[in-house]
Structures are given as C-alpha cells and as structure tokens.
C-alpha cells in the first residue's frame, strides 16, 4: 500500500470517528480517531478530535500527548482549544 492509500484510509477512519462523536459514543469515536492516526500520524483533525474527547473524559495524559503532537505538526489547530 502506498502513502496515498494510507492517507485515504486515515480519512475514512476519521470520518467514522466524527460520526461516533456526533452520536455521543465517545469511546468508539476515540477508537476510530486512533485508527486514523495509526494510518496517518499527521492527521491533525483526528488528533484534535481525539485530544478534545480525551480531555473531556479527564484523560489528561492522552490529551497532552496529542496536544504536543499538534503543536509540532499544526499549531493553528490548537487556536480553538483552551
């Protein structure tokens, strides 16, 4: 599988994560955002959503890891996160 295929798979998992997030199925959403990041560790949308959900669950260490990754790959994504 080439890099383009990995990025497309990442997008599919991210979109599934967004669906679960909208259904308030937080754990399932985090699972799919994690799968998305596995296939593309620079998918800032998946990282941001996983950060947001982990933070809301009180999983601060996990949230901090994603925050640090985003700070490097896409600092602009963190403007909304306070």
């Amino acid at each position: 599988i080439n890099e383009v295929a990995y990025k497309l798979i990442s997008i599919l998992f991210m979109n599934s994560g967004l669906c679960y997030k909208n259904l308030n199925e937080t754990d399932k959403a985090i699972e799919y955002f994690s799968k998305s990041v596995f296939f593309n560790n620079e998918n800032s949308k998946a990282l941001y959503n996983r950060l947001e959900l982990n933070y809301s669950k009180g999983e601060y260490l996990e949230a901090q890891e994603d925050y640090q990754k985003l700070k490097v790959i896409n600092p602009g994504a963190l403007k909304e996160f306070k």
Side-chain angles (χ1 to χ4, degrees):
I1 297 179
N2 62 27
E3 184 178 342
V4 173
Y6 279 114
K7 287 184 178 184
L8 289 173
I9 293 168
S10 176
I11 291 168
L12 291 172
F13 279 123
M14 184 191 63
N15 287 339
S16 296
L18 290 171
C19 290
Y20 283 114
K21 182 180 177 183
N22 288 332
L23 293 170
N24 293 317
E25 294 192 32
T26 303
D27 291 333
K28 200 71 167 169
I30 290 171
E31 176 187 339
Y32 277 83
F33 291 134
S34 295
K35 290 178 181 183
S36 175
V37 171
F38 174 81
F39 283 97
N40 178 8
N41 63 2
E42 293 187 356
N43 185 330
S44 58
K45 290 181 182 179
L47 283 167
Y48 181 84
N49 279 286
R50 188 172 71 177
L51 158 65
E52 187 177 55
L53 292 176
N54 276 321
Y55 189 85
S56 73
K57 287 181 61 179
E59 301 288 343
Y60 301 119
L61 290 177
E62 289 84 350
Q64 180 66 21
E65 288 176 18
D66 287 339
Y67 183 89
Q68 293 302 325
K69 289 176 191 172
L70 279 169
K71 204 161 77 167
V72 172
I73 64 170
N74 187 0
L78 296 171
K79 288 180 184 177
E80 297 177 24
F81 194 80
K82 305 263 183 216

